[in-house]
Amino acid sequence: MIPPDTLEAVVADVLASTQVIDMHTHLFAPGFGSLGLWGIDHLLTYHYLEAELFRSSPIRPEQYWALSTAQRADLIWKTLFVENNPISEAARGVIAVLHELGLDASARTLEPYRDFFREQNLTDHIARVFQLAGIESVVMTNDPLDPEESPLWDSFTSDPRFHASFHASLRLDRLLNQESAYTPAEARRFLESWATRMRAVYMAVSLPDSFQFPAPDQKRDRRNQLLTEAVLPACRDLNIPLSLMIGVRRQVNPALRLAGDASGRADLRSLEALCRDFPGNRFLVSVLSRENQHELCVYARKFSNLMPFGCWWFLNNPSTVEEITRERLEMLGTSFIPQHSDARILEQVIYKWRNTRRTLAPVLAKTYRLLADDGRAVTRDDIERDVRRLFRTNFEDWTSPSPNPTVWSPASLA
Ligand code: FIX
Ligand code: ZN
């Protein structure tokens, strides 16, 4: 039995020693060349920090966009890290990354950091970053309709080295949210051929808070038609889940570009309809509005083909992650995926996973303390089993189901 006063330390140690699978990122394997972002200039021009810059500097967005990437990074460092203390979650993250990489995080200019990153060999650097972050592999976001990305797939598929650490997911935003000329039959063939080529572990789309399924005019709703006639059948044929990221309000302030998106509460009855009407599909779901979190847990209790995942974007802050994870543990036990990093710049996985572990250690420890109070103390093995399930096997089971799934029968209990 673990003494109550060491419980949190044991949980923290188990979290630290479990290599996680980061099931949604915007990172790219080295074969994708300049699409893969890393280093100090990209860390500082992350859109979370760009949004914060405009709150503390008089610069106007059009003036900012006229600068080079290095000039933008210099301005963000000066404004948010020198003239102010970097206390926001995104700013503190940069400090944690520099510190974990062995750098002095209080330099006044970026030159020492630029020198450090210039000296790194990318392949070795990736291995070191994954090790510091405690991650085994990441899932990329891959859009076959992205004219910059699609031609690069030939070189990636022929380079087997990185398949083990960079999985693909087939992103549907361009296909479903923007105009594309595909008929549903063409779209289905397109998706099946790309998902096979990429070895996609799931398909994914982000959806607005106004998403409705069925739509009032369902037969003329192009997105819903493509969903029902192309995406869902393709996912079923390939036996992969569909990830729905619901509640993003794109470009409420277009002048901020990537930083110009916001969030809104969605009507999750649409999710209820999808889970009920497509029992042969599996849905990985993240919702962006804090107000939708409890409903998501309720629906997960109703539909076993629904897997809640992550505390997405504006929710990925300790106070909110703590609240959401407590609620999920209370309502779902360990049948959910607590977090993904959503990293866009390689080194961000270091701070995002560090923060997740730090926030979740006391949350899990409290859960085990309550269980002990109620009559059952846990062992380290018990904790390891839960942490593995939360950060690895829930995702693995959903994305690589065994070729001959065991059908449950009363005999299996014997
Ligand atoms: O749609 C998404 O996958 C979002 O995560 C991104 O579009 C968003 O810009 C982001 O980076 C949030 O963390
Ligand atoms: Zn994302």
Side-chain angles (χ1 to χ4, degrees), residues 65 67 114 121 127 130 133-134 192 198 212 247 264 295 356 378 386 398 411:
W65 301 120
L67 303 175
R114 288 186 176 130
N121 162 287
F130 275 36
E192 296 200 342
M198 292 174 166
Q212 272 191 298
E295 274 169 284
T356 295
V378 292
D386 286 350
W398 267 50

Side-chain angles (χ1 to χ4, degrees), residues 53-54 58-68 71-72 75 253-257:
L53 169 74
F54 296 117
I59 195 167
R60 290 195 310 275
E62 63 277 17
Q63 297 172 313
Y64 176 78
W65 301 120
L67 303 175
S68 68
Q71 288 170 325
R72 293 175 193 171
L75 178 64
N253 185 356
L256 301 192
R257 300 191 182 175

Side-chain angles (χ1 to χ4, degrees), residues 203-238:
M203 294 193 202
V205 64
S206 73
L207 295 164
D209 58 338
S210 57
F211 172 64
Q212 272 191 298
F213 190 97
D217 195 0
Q218 175 77 352
K219 287 214 165 56
R220 294 161 73 103
D221 186 303
R222 201 182 134 68
R223 179 168 53 209
N224 285 357
Q225 200 186 6
L226 285 170
L227 262 179
T228 46
E229 293 173 35
V231 175
L232 291 167
C235 285
R236 271 198 310 273
D237 281 356
L238 297 157

Side-chain angles (χ1 to χ4, degrees), residues 40-41 43-46 49-50 52-53 56-57 64 69-86 90-99 103-114 117:
I40 189 67
D41 290 283
L43 282 168
L44 288 169
T45 51
Y46 184 35
L49 291 172
E50 290 177 331
E52 291 171 29
L53 169 74
S56 294
S57 159
Y64 176 78
T69 302
Q71 288 170 325
R72 293 175 193 171
D74 286 332
L75 178 64
I76 290 181
W77 184 256
K78 176 170 146 304
T79 308
L80 298 179
F81 294 78
V82 178
E83 294 171 356
N84 286 284
N85 285 324
R92 189 162 46 73
V94 177
I95 300 298
V97 166
L98 296 174
H99 184 71
L103 299 161
D104 171 1
S106 50
R108 296 193 69 83
T109 75
L110 297 179
E111 287 326 310
Y113 308 134
R114 288 186 176 130
F117 284 104

Side-chain angles (χ1 to χ4, degrees), residues 71-279:
Q71 288 170 325
R72 293 175 193 171
D74 286 332
L75 178 64
I76 290 181
W77 184 256
K78 176 170 146 304
T79 308
L80 298 179
F81 294 78
V82 178
E83 294 171 356
N84 286 284
N85 285 324
I87 57 173
S88 75
E89 185 72 1
R92 189 162 46 73
V94 177
I95 300 298
V97 166
L98 296 174
H99 184 71
E100 290 273 319
L101 289 171
L103 299 161
D104 171 1
S106 50
R108 296 193 69 83
T109 75
L110 297 179
E111 287 326 310
Y113 308 134
R114 288 186 176 130
D115 290 344
F116 168 84
F117 284 104
R118 244 191 310 269
E119 281 162 17
Q120 304 307 310
N121 162 287
L122 183 56
T123 312
D124 298 341
H125 183 57
I126 290 174
R128 181 174 178 210
V129 167
F130 275 36
Q131 192 257 327
L132 286 171
I135 55 179
E136 178 200 83
S137 58
V138 301
V139 180
M140 306 180 280
T141 295
N142 305 102
D143 184 348
L145 291 176
D146 178 344
E148 274 189 79
E149 180 182 339
S150 59
L152 301 172
W153 269 93
D154 282 336
S155 59
F156 184 63
T157 43
S158 60
D159 184 348
R161 274 178 307 164
F162 296 108
H163 281 293
S165 26
F166 290 87
H167 312 288
S169 70
L170 201 172
R171 185 73 177 219
L172 305 165
D173 284 43
R174 270 194 179 77
L175 179 75
L176 295 183
N177 294 339
Q178 293 170 19
E179 278 310 305
S180 72
Y182 291 99
T183 65
E186 285 164 351
R188 183 171 171 176
R189 278 195 298 278
F190 174 83
L191 292 174
E192 296 200 342
S193 114
W194 269 98
T196 308
R197 185 168 174 211
M198 292 174 166
R199 293 192 243 168
V201 289
Y202 61 78
M203 294 193 202
V205 64
S206 73
L207 295 164
D209 58 338
S210 57
F211 172 64
Q212 272 191 298
F213 190 97
D217 195 0
Q218 175 77 352
K219 287 214 165 56
R220 294 161 73 103
D221 186 303
R222 201 182 134 68
R223 179 168 53 209
N224 285 357
Q225 200 186 6
L226 285 170
L227 262 179
T228 46
E229 293 173 35
V231 175
L232 291 167
C235 285
R236 271 198 310 273
D237 281 356
L238 297 157
N239 200 9
I240 57 176
L242 173 62
S243 163
L244 303 173
M245 305 176 76
I246 308 171
V248 51
R249 300 185 56 232
R250 297 280 180 202
Q251 297 298 284
V252 300
N253 185 356
L256 301 192
R257 300 191 182 175
L258 260 189
D261 299 340
S263 80
R265 182 183 185 150
D267 182 353
L268 292 193
R269 282 166 206 239
S270 301
L271 182 61
E272 168 189 328
L274 282 166
C275 292
R276 186 184 49 236
D277 298 347
F278 298 90

